[in-house]
Amino acid sequence: MSLMTEQSHTNQPEQREEIVRVSNVAKAFGNHTVLEDINFTMKAGEVVAIIGPSGSGKSTLLRCLNQLEPPTNGSISIAGITLDAGKQATKKQLTDLRRAAGMVFQSFNLFPHLSVLTNVSLPQQRVLGRSKAEADKRSLALLERVGLLNKADQYPVRCSGGQQQRIAIARALALDPKIMLFDEPTSALDPELGLEVLAVMKELAEGGMTMIVVTHEMHFAETVSDRVIIMADGRILEEGPSASIMRNPQSERAQRFLQAVKNR
């Protein structure tokens, strides 16, 4: 079954509504500045890959987007919800934001004592107020889409790492987000299991899901995403169309990073 959404990946970006705006965002932990002057926008249906060396602030940026780490400076707007640094977000704003922005982490964060089906259904009941029957129906459809319908009654421990990450993706999709945020979703997996997860993500992208993907998977960044952002030392070095950025980076720091990755 195809992971299609109402948006089409063939639409021209300029015809789509803006869904993300990040303005002058900075993040510091004490005296240590992790992000500095981050600015970018995204249209609905776009897929943006964020790459760069370890410690460049990629994961912190993603955590700032859904306010797991509130920024020290700047503003973030996602799906019409705007939060400014220094202003306490309301509980409703945070709930609305996290409904709009589904998040998939490096670790799967599944409840080990609950079945796969319940792991996907419970957030729908708690966050969206769906009945158990409604939630289970949606969960089973999504588990089928990620190729795991036969695991619905199993516990996560009986599933491989790749299967657990696909369950986590189904759980995030079950809340009908406007955008999906992926924080290195394959980094904890061996290459073969990682491919299962990347295949699901590729199908999501082809179906028009808006996605920001922090990743070390350079082939995915070049061939699946529409745009690539290269970060280093807490700043955006370059951003632009994926193939041109990956094949012809302009800054010396970006060239050095990509050369190191290709020579690994």
Side-chain angles (χ1 to χ4, degrees), residues 221-223 225-228 240-249:
E222 182 171 335
T223 60
S225 69
D226 300 298
R227 281 192 294 143
V228 165
S242 302
S244 62
I245 289 284
M246 299 292 288
R247 295 174 193 173
N248 189 28

Side-chain angles (χ1 to χ4, degrees), residues 69-250:
E69 295 287 356
T72 313
N73 189 58
S75 70
I76 291 170
S77 180
I78 295 181
I81 304 151
T82 301
L83 296 173
D84 296 310
K87 289 185 184 174
Q88 184 70 40
T90 67
K91 187 174 180 182
K92 182 181 188 306
Q93 282 177 315
L94 290 176
T95 301
D96 290 348
L97 177 73
R98 288 169 187 159
R99 278 179 62 175
M103 183 102 171
V104 177
F105 300 88
Q106 295 176 39
S107 54
F108 323 122
N109 296 337
L110 300 175
F111 293 113
H113 62 292
L114 300 178
S115 70
V116 167
L117 178 62
T118 306
N119 264 281
V120 181
S121 290
L122 193 60
Q124 300 173 60
Q125 295 169 255
R126 294 247 172 106
V127 177
L128 302 182
R130 287 178 181 155
S131 68
K132 185 177 185 302
E134 288 174 319
D136 285 352
K137 182 179 179 183
R138 174 78 169 136
S139 299
L140 291 169
L142 285 167
L143 288 170
E144 183 176 18
R145 289 181 172 188
V146 299
L148 292 173
L149 184 58
N150 63 333
K151 296 289 186 181
D153 296 326
Q154 301 273 4
Y155 288 91
V157 72
R158 302 291 300 274
C159 302
S160 71
Q163 289 170 338
Q164 289 188 58
Q165 193 60 293
R166 285 187 280 156
I167 295 161
I169 292 172
R171 178 182 59 188
L173 289 171
L175 298 181
D176 303 323
K178 300 283 200 328
I179 182 171
M180 289 282 282
L181 310 176
F182 292 88
D183 186 9
E184 298 189 21
T186 60
S187 65
L189 306 174
D190 68 41
E192 196 172 349
L193 296 178
L195 286 175
E196 300 173 356
V197 176
L198 290 171
V200 170
M201 292 169 62
K202 183 170 188 259
E203 197 177 353
L204 276 174
E206 289 169 349
M209 173 60 76
T210 312
M211 296 162 59
I212 300 178
V213 185
V214 170
T215 185
H216 289 299
E217 305 279 356
M218 296 300 131
H219 182 71
F220 180 92
E222 182 171 335
T223 60
V224 178
S225 69
D226 300 298
R227 281 192 294 143
V228 165
I229 292 174
I230 304 182
M231 290 183 65
D233 305 316
R235 291 177 171 272
I236 292 177
L237 294 178
E238 298 186 30
E239 73 162 304
S242 302
S244 62
I245 289 284
M246 299 292 288
R247 295 174 193 173
N248 189 28
Q250 299 302 300

Side-chain angles (χ1 to χ4, degrees), residues 246-263:
M246 299 292 288
R247 295 174 193 173
N248 189 28
Q250 299 302 300
S251 68
E252 187 270 337
R253 182 70 183 90
Q255 291 167 5
R256 203 163 77 232
F257 166 70
L258 286 169
Q259 195 61 43
V261 169
K262 287 170 185 169
N263 289 339

